[in-house]
Amino acid sequence: MRSMRAFVRNALAACAVLTSASASAFVTMDGGNFVTDGSVAVLSAQALTNGDATHSTGLLRLELWASPAPFPVNRGHFNGRKLAQFSLPQLPPGGTYANVVSSEVPFAALPSGTWYLTLFVTQFEDATVDDGYLYDDFQQFEAPLLVGGYRGVEPIVEYYYAASNTYFVTGIPGEINALDSGMFQGWERTGYQFNGFDPTQSATPAASVSVCRFFNDSFGTVSSHFYALHGLGCEDTIADFPDWKLETATAFNMYVPDAAGNCPIGSSPVYRLFNNGMSGAPNHRYTTNPDVRSQMITQGWTPEGYGIGVAFCSPD
């Protein structure tokens, strides 16, 4: 990580005059993490290690920063905001601080938008920026922090048809009105719903992805719908299951889970469960409620998606 030293000076200085190089020890960080409730934060690291067997470090800090793009943005400028910091004493030559956990420290408010967080270990070198501190090592957090102000959020409402034990969700106002009015007899609200982004709104976050909606009526009197993210099931369904007809490629927008099923901060997992054709036709249920997920599994439904069965991520 020593080759990063000049770069992170640039990042911190944000085009200011840089300090000259120093001979201070270089600190590495393992297992950096944080938790926050939006007003205070706790910063932590599994280990902070002085890689220099001869020199002590300067005074140290853990610093949590946010930027509108993943760090590093480029090698000449870092457009970021410091959110929280925690001070630590010097490390002796070759020394290690293990299992570092800060007290609760103030967490700075962020404006609305999508922010990428990075935890730095810094040490005092009498620099001209950041109270004299310069970055040594850092931990990036892949999942962005999603901060309020989202226009264009719409409810995705769930309905149930008891005669065929079939579930259906929709965010289309016309369909919701028709189902609620009794135009399609037998369909009733379950009382569950989750949020999605209206893809027609200009405020739809760039980090969200549109969801495809498919329809299949090839199972006699029972029909079914299926939802899948672009890049995570939509294209495969089109290619491999021609009996599933694409109704729209932009039913609503959602955030994308990672391969382990984790959702970005500020969103909740939408679990997808498959009935294995038990009602005479395939049917999927989509829910953000972990208790509902457990109940459906008990009834013989199979989780589908990433991790424990996450189809997409609903904005909170």
Side-chain angles (χ1 to χ4, degrees):
M1 298 295 291
R2 189 176 294 274
S3 63
M4 294 295 294
R5 193 56 167 267
F7 160 54
V8 295
R9 283 201 175 95
N10 283 343
L12 181 58
C15 300
V17 176
L18 303 182
T19 58
S20 60
S22 71
S24 65
F26 188 83
V27 180
T28 59
M29 175 172 60
D30 294 315
N33 206 349
F34 76 98
V35 293
T36 181
D37 64 1
S39 60
V40 296
V42 174
L43 312 181
S44 62
Q46 292 178 2
L48 301 175
T49 301
N50 181 357
D52 192 319
T54 304
H55 300 93
S56 296
T57 70
L59 295 172
L60 302 179
R61 288 199 307 216
L62 290 177
E63 301 186 17
L64 182 66
W65 285 67
S67 58
F71 178 85
V73 178
N74 56 49
R75 291 186 175 271
H77 182 72
F78 177 60
N79 180 20
R81 294 169 177 258
K82 188 193 294 186
L83 302 180
Q85 67 181 38
F86 176 67
S87 298
L88 292 157
Q90 295 172 286
L91 265 172
T96 296
Y97 290 139
N99 300 316
V100 177
V101 180
S102 78
S103 57
E104 289 188 347
V105 294
F107 184 84
L110 283 167
S112 296
T114 301
W115 297 90
Y116 294 85
L117 304 188
T118 305
L119 182 66
F120 295 92
V121 57
T122 68
Q123 65 170 305
F124 184 78
E125 297 190 27
D126 200 21
T128 58
V129 292
D130 194 28
D131 306 323
Y133 283 76
L134 296 176
Y135 300 133
D136 277 358
D137 204 357
F138 59 90
Q139 170 70 55
Q140 283 186 286
F141 302 100
E142 181 177 349
L145 175 67
L146 313 173
V147 181
Y150 302 120
R151 297 165 293 162
V153 171
E154 60 184 9
I156 312 300
V157 181
E158 184 184 52
Y159 294 86
Y160 178 64
Y161 190 73
S164 59
N165 192 27
T166 299
Y167 294 89
F168 171 65
V169 294
T170 180
I172 300 173
E175 288 186 342
I176 292 172
N177 291 336
L179 287 160
D180 288 345
S181 70
M183 184 179 297
F184 302 100
Q185 293 186 0
W187 287 97
E188 301 288 343
R189 285 195 183 219
T190 64
Y192 294 106
Q193 63 183 47
F194 50 86
N195 293 329
F197 291 113
D198 181 346
T200 67
Q201 299 295 313
S202 60
T204 301
S208 68
V209 173
S210 59
V211 175
C212 297
R213 173 169 142 171
F214 296 88
F215 177 67
N216 194 329
D217 61 356
S218 59
F219 299 94
T221 59
V222 181
S223 59
S224 189
H225 286 84
F226 176 71
Y227 292 89
L229 280 168
H230 274 284
L232 293 174
C234 177
E235 292 78 7
D236 290 342
T237 302
I238 293 172
D240 300 335
F241 301 96
D243 52 332
W244 286 93
K245 303 174 182 64
L246 179 65
E247 286 191 325
T248 177
T250 54
F252 42 80
N253 274 42
M254 290 287 183
Y255 290 115
V256 181
D258 65 20
N262 300 310
C263 286
I265 299 169
S267 67
S268 299
V270 178
Y271 306 109
R272 186 173 73 213
L273 299 118
F274 175 51
N275 73 343
N276 297 299
M278 289 186 292
S279 61
N283 186 231
H284 293 82
R285 189 171 188 187
Y286 301 84
T287 182
T288 56
N289 189 309
D291 292 335
V292 170
R293 174 185 177 273
S294 297
Q295 292 166 10
M296 303 313 293
I297 292 173
T298 299
Q299 294 174 24
W301 293 54
T302 301
E304 292 184 339
Y306 283 91
I308 63 172
V310 178
F312 30 77
C313 301
S314 168
D316 293 340

